[in-house]
Amino acid sequence: MKTRNHWRGLLLAAFSLCGIAHAASPAPARVPDTIEQRVAACIACHGREGASTNAGYFPRLAGKPEGYLYNQLLSFRDGRRFNSDMAHMVRHLSDAYLREIAHYFAELDLPYPPVSTRSDASAQSLARGKTLVFEGDAARGIPACAQCHGQALTGIAPAIPSLLGLPRLYLASQLGDWVNNGRHALPPDCMAEVGRKLNSEDINAVASWLALQPVPANPKPAAAPPAPLPLPCSAMGK
């Protein structure tokens, strides 16, 4: 018959082995507290390190003007832009944290993917889109996109974005939001004023033409607009 001391000895031995096994197990890996790690949630939708995915909707973040990215994060947080996922992500973040995120993506210098050369838009619609981009429509009070976004269409520092390298669906949806009063900026809200004058044919034409345009070798935003802006615009501090 086994004695009480015998069983006690076996239990102590078992506990000792468990302790040895626990001590020998590797410590859990620590997640580095870096900005790269903290913006991983952004990459889930916008692509690795902010380069837009092939999903057909999410915009590229890499290389956008810092002021533009910061203003959009503020707008999602403060209710001027409406997207449930974005609002959830940023609703508790401070101005300083949003500025840090904007700076990170603005500093990324990543190659753009090849631009598709295929479109179901008609030649007439594409020609109309190009006209609106570079000439506007004076009779309807619509300025050319290039007057604000630059002749190269790569944006203007500090806060006007590029119009190139973006999916057609994204471009059309954002122009539609301006038309439908679903997107806002701080006053003076120049895009809201322009958007109210666009119709669905204009939006399809501009988005279709822009989506086909190659990105230039130097995709950086210009340091200044080619001429005074046609409208007061909060993106330029005016």
Side-chain angles (χ1 to χ4, degrees):
M1 175 180 278
K2 303 295 185 181
T3 66
R4 182 178 296 177
N5 287 338
H6 175 81
W7 292 115
R8 183 180 296 168
L10 289 177
L11 287 171
L12 289 173
F15 282 128
S16 297
L17 289 173
C18 288
I20 293 171
H22 178 74
S25 62
R30 296 188 63 182
V31 177
D33 184 17
T34 62
I35 185 62
E36 291 86 352
Q37 186 277 327
R38 284 182 266 131
V39 298
C42 308
I43 295 167
C45 291
H46 291 273
R48 183 179 178 274
E49 295 186 320
S52 181
T53 68
N54 293 322
Y57 178 80
F58 300 104
R60 178 186 174 98
L61 301 180
K64 285 284 197 304
E66 180 177 337
Y68 172 76
L69 293 173
Y70 176 64
N71 287 341
Q72 302 320 299
L73 290 169
L74 288 176
S75 289
F76 281 120
R77 188 194 67 185
D78 299 340
R80 288 183 295 275
R81 288 188 69 176
F82 307 102
N83 177 282
S84 58
D85 292 333
M86 284 298 303
H88 177 75
M89 296 284 288
V90 302
R91 61 183 174 180
H92 298 305
L93 302 185
S94 67
D95 289 4
Y97 198 173
L98 296 181
R99 176 71 75 179
E100 185 179 3
I101 294 171
H103 178 76
Y104 170 78
F105 282 111
E107 290 296 303
L108 290 179
D109 186 10
L110 299 172
Y112 280 75
V115 174
S116 174
T117 58
R118 301 179 62 182
S119 176
D120 59 3
S122 68
Q124 182 180 6
S125 180
L126 292 173
R128 173 65 176 162
K130 182 177 181 179
T131 298
L132 286 170
V133 167
F134 288 112
E135 300 176 27
D137 188 334
R140 295 162 59 202
I142 300 174
C145 304
Q147 286 183 264
C148 294
H149 294 269
Q151 287 298 314
L153 305 176
T154 55
I156 304 291
I160 297 180
S162 171
L163 298 180
L164 302 178
L166 293 166
R168 174 184 174 183
L169 176 59
Y170 176 77
L171 290 164
S173 68
Q174 297 311 300
L175 288 171
D177 275 352
W178 292 114
V179 172
N180 298 322
N181 203 35
R183 179 174 173 175
H184 305 272
L186 291 170
D189 192 347
C190 52
M191 274 304 302
E193 185 171 341
V194 173
R196 285 192 290 267
K197 300 173 182 177
L198 299 175
N199 57 41
S200 59
E201 289 79 13
D202 298 330
I203 290 172
N204 182 59
V206 169
S208 298
W209 187 83
L210 286 172
L212 293 175
Q213 303 315 301
V215 179
N218 178 15
K220 299 292 185 182
L229 298 184
L231 297 169
C233 190
S234 61
M236 297 299 286
K238 299 177 181 179

